[in-house]
Amino acid sequence: MTVARMLFDFDDTYARDVPALSVPWSAAPAPHPELLVLNEGLAAELGVDPAALREPAGVALLTGHGLPDGVVPVAQAYAGHQFGGYVPRLGDGRALLLGEVTDTAGRRRDLHLKGSGRTPFARGGDGRAAVGPMLREYLMGEANHALGIPTTRALSVVATGEEVLREEGPLPGAVLCRVAASHLRVGTFQYAAASGDLDVLRALADHAIARHHPAAGDGPDRYLRLYRHVVDAQAELVSRWMLVGFVHGVLNTDNTTISGETIDYGPCAYMDAFDPATVFSSIDHAGRYAYGNQPGIVQWNLARLGEALLPLIDADADAAVEAATAVLSGFAETYRRHWARGSAAKLGLAEPDPDLVTDLLELMRAQRVDFTTFFRALSAGTARSLFAEPEPFDAWAARREALLPADRAAVAAAMDRVNPVYVPRNHLVEQALTEATAGDTTSFRQLLDVLARPFDERPGLQRYAEPAPAGCPPHVTYCGT
Ligand code: AMP
Ligand code: MG
């Protein structure tokens, strides 16, 4: 029995259920692996002893080496619309699915490597990843998880000891181990549909139902019900992003999951001053993936999923389109419901009041008020000072005041349970990653620690609650990580 077998008992239902949608492949060598960060809480969830993962055999496993006999990683195939343009063959160009494990709560989770070397899907890329972007994925995923947002999470980042060539020069390389409910994406369905083999598409859909949406049941209508479940899960997910000011940054169909988890933290960032036009990504010139466009874009991505599912929904093409369209039209209402409920909670209201929310956001946009700071200041009674011109805010605050429940202390406490004090502030994230890339992970660990309890205001952490100091250049994020 190898050590890896003792660490994880891998299953491979994806590779077996839909063999046409992956290629067996091995990780590139990582000759001098160094464990930079290990997610001990997540390791415990997976039922594995963190100390064992820190051993050489554990670290090797986290780079795809020393796997138990019979465990064969695969590179997964998928297609995708990238910035609206269809690419028929994307796939894991630098990633591998190690296998599936059952966690201590009985849930099936994927263990997946990113930066583990070129695969047959690599196209032009080098198959590798740099320390900074992998630590960034780790941090942003943990921050979102702590905020209650469904997300993939990083188990570890291991420096490979090798250099990766990027535009800015050679950078230290790394492999991230990602844990996800699955890596099924809208793009996986697009790829299966484009193969023209209905059996492959059906097997994929049945795998997705078994894994994520068993409530879809069986019978010929199950694929339409699967679609409805994905639409609902994604509508809820994007509402949660919107409620905390998260900008994903690259909402291509291959980055939209079937499980409803956030995936692929590349050029993502948290918005400071409220502005629906907020874009961070250096390549998103048209603002396609701006904060305010996210619900519409996710809906668009789900339309692509609907198209892929059509042949399963009904043999009659017109009937299939009609049924899928009806499901997709539910997205807006589901989104609105989650947003209305969530924004009411942010304001301390018992009932949603869409006009009050819309008017507030317009005030915040016009006066460039920090999105995160505002809601905590509102519960503390200090929000007025955030407005350069406070009169319009006063009028708005009077309207809100009239709607509040009588017990104001309870209102404030409830607001503070949904409005974070700490989100990953761009300037602090950049500073932590720069230092970590140079070999010092102290700031990174401190930031991770702060973000693990985002609602819990603690003395001495004020600087983590503040936006970048005035005069800081606007934050820009980069793809191709
Ligand atoms: P992402 O931007 O991470 O969603 O990746 C989009 C596509 O580009 C996927 O097919 C990836 O596998 C591929 N890709 C990204 N970076 C690399 C890289 N360094 N080497 C090979 N393929 C990559
Ligand atoms: Mg991706």
Side-chain angles (χ1 to χ4, degrees):
M1 184 190 270
T2 65
V3 172
R5 170 84 64 201
M6 283 150 48
L7 286 167
F8 294 108
D9 190 8
F10 285 115
D11 199 356
D12 58 353
T13 62
Y14 176 82
R16 284 187 283 119
D17 287 351
V18 280
L21 299 182
S22 65
V23 180
W25 204 254
S26 316
H32 308 292
E34 184 200 344
L35 183 63
L36 293 183
V37 50
L38 177 68
N39 193 333
E40 302 214 340
L42 184 55
E45 263 183 40
L46 297 175
V48 60
D49 177 8
L53 282 176
R54 293 184 183 279
E55 297 285 317
V59 176
L61 179 95
L62 295 171
T63 61
H65 296 286
L67 299 174
D69 291 344
V71 173
V72 182
V74 297
Q76 290 173 288
Y78 52 84
H81 278 86
Q82 298 192 303
F83 288 90
Y86 184 64
V87 184
R89 189 180 150 98
L90 287 168
D92 288 336
R94 55 159 171 177
L96 290 174
L97 175 62
L98 277 185
E100 302 147 19
V101 299
T102 303
D103 71 13
T104 53
R107 294 171 299 189
R108 183 175 293 272
R109 318 268 291 261
D110 275 3
L111 247 68
H112 170 105
L113 304 178
K114 191 163 172 176
S116 51
R118 286 179 60 86
T119 77
F121 298 104
R123 300 177 297 161
D126 63 4
R128 306 208 274 175
V131 162
M134 294 305 99
L135 288 179
R136 193 180 157 75
E137 168 147 354
Y138 188 117
L139 184 83
M140 298 304 279
E142 287 309 284
N144 278 355
H145 173 70
L147 288 166
I149 299 172
T151 181
T152 66
R153 298 174 68 190
L155 176 62
S156 58
V157 176
V158 177
T160 59
E162 292 190 313
E163 287 187 332
V164 180
L165 207 54
R166 292 290 180 264
E167 252 172 47
E168 55 267 51
L171 296 170
V175 175
L176 175 126
C177 181
R178 175 159 74 185
V179 176
S182 84
H183 285 79
L184 302 180
R185 310 148 186 264
V186 169
T188 319
F189 280 84
Q190 292 180 289
Y191 188 95
S195 78
D197 186 336
L198 201 56
D199 290 337
V200 171
L201 183 63
R202 188 179 295 109
L204 176 65
D206 285 332
H207 178 83
I209 288 172
R211 205 154 167 185
H212 298 300
H213 304 293
D218 37 40
D221 286 344
R222 65 187 182 279
Y223 303 115
L224 191 63
R225 286 192 294 268
L226 166 66
Y227 187 38
R228 181 172 296 123
H229 283 287
V230 180
V231 166
D232 287 350
Q234 283 289 338
E236 177 169 5
L237 176 65
V238 70
S239 76
R240 287 173 180 264
W241 293 345
M242 299 301 283
L243 288 164
V244 293
F246 176 74
V247 184
H248 181 286
V250 59
L251 278 179
N252 296 331
T253 57
D254 54 297
N255 292 340
T256 300
T257 57
I258 300 305
S259 66
E261 286 185 335
T262 312
I263 198 169
D264 269 3
Y265 291 91
C268 64
Y270 270 75
M271 175 172 65
D272 291 321
F274 179 80
D275 186 350
T278 301
V279 172
F280 297 102
S281 171
S282 63
I283 61 169
D284 192 0
H285 306 293
R288 178 180 173 90
Y289 298 143
Y291 168 81
N293 287 349
Q294 295 184 118
I297 283 292
V298 169
Q299 186 181 31
W300 190 89
N301 291 349
L302 291 167
R304 308 288 80 76
L305 175 63
E307 286 166 1
L309 288 171
L310 286 178
L312 296 179
I313 288 173
D314 203 307
D316 178 84
D318 290 339
V321 169
E322 197 179 319
T325 304
V327 167
L328 186 62
S329 70
F331 176 90
E333 180 46 34
T334 305
Y335 172 76
R336 235 193 320 272
R337 200 175 63 243
H338 286 291
W339 165 262
R341 211 183 287 146
S343 53
K346 287 180 84 68
L347 294 176
L349 307 177
E351 292 297 327
D353 187 328
D355 289 344
L356 193 72
V357 174
T358 305
D359 294 348
L360 168 67
L361 294 180
E362 178 45 29
L363 274 181
M364 290 175 74
R365 190 198 60 77
Q367 301 203 35
R368 300 200 57 74
V369 173
D370 185 81
F371 188 65
T372 303
T373 307
F374 173 80
F375 294 96
R376 293 294 286 223
L378 188 65
S379 76
T382 58
R384 187 177 199 271
S385 67
L386 301 175
F387 291 82
E389 284 175 49
E391 291 76 18
F393 170 74
D394 292 338
W396 178 87
R399 285 166 59 200
R400 168 177 173 264
E401 197 62 28
L403 300 171
L404 288 181
D407 184 348
R408 296 303 159 85
V411 167
M415 288 171 69
D416 289 353
R417 284 195 293 274
V418 296
N419 294 314
V421 190
Y422 311 111
V423 296
R425 295 287 185 176
N426 303 319
H427 62 296
L428 298 178
V429 173
E430 289 316 310
Q431 185 201 342
L433 296 183
T434 302
E435 290 175 18
T437 298
D440 181 359
T441 56
T442 312
S443 297
F444 176 81
R445 288 171 195 283
Q446 283 167 347
L447 188 53
L448 204 54
D449 208 44
V450 171
L451 296 172
R453 285 156 60 202
F455 303 105
D456 189 1
E457 190 166 8
R458 284 155 282 166
L461 299 183
Q462 182 53 29
R463 73 186 190 93
Y464 292 97
E466 288 166 359
C472 261
H475 185 64
V476 180
T477 57
Y478 299 92
C479 251
T481 50

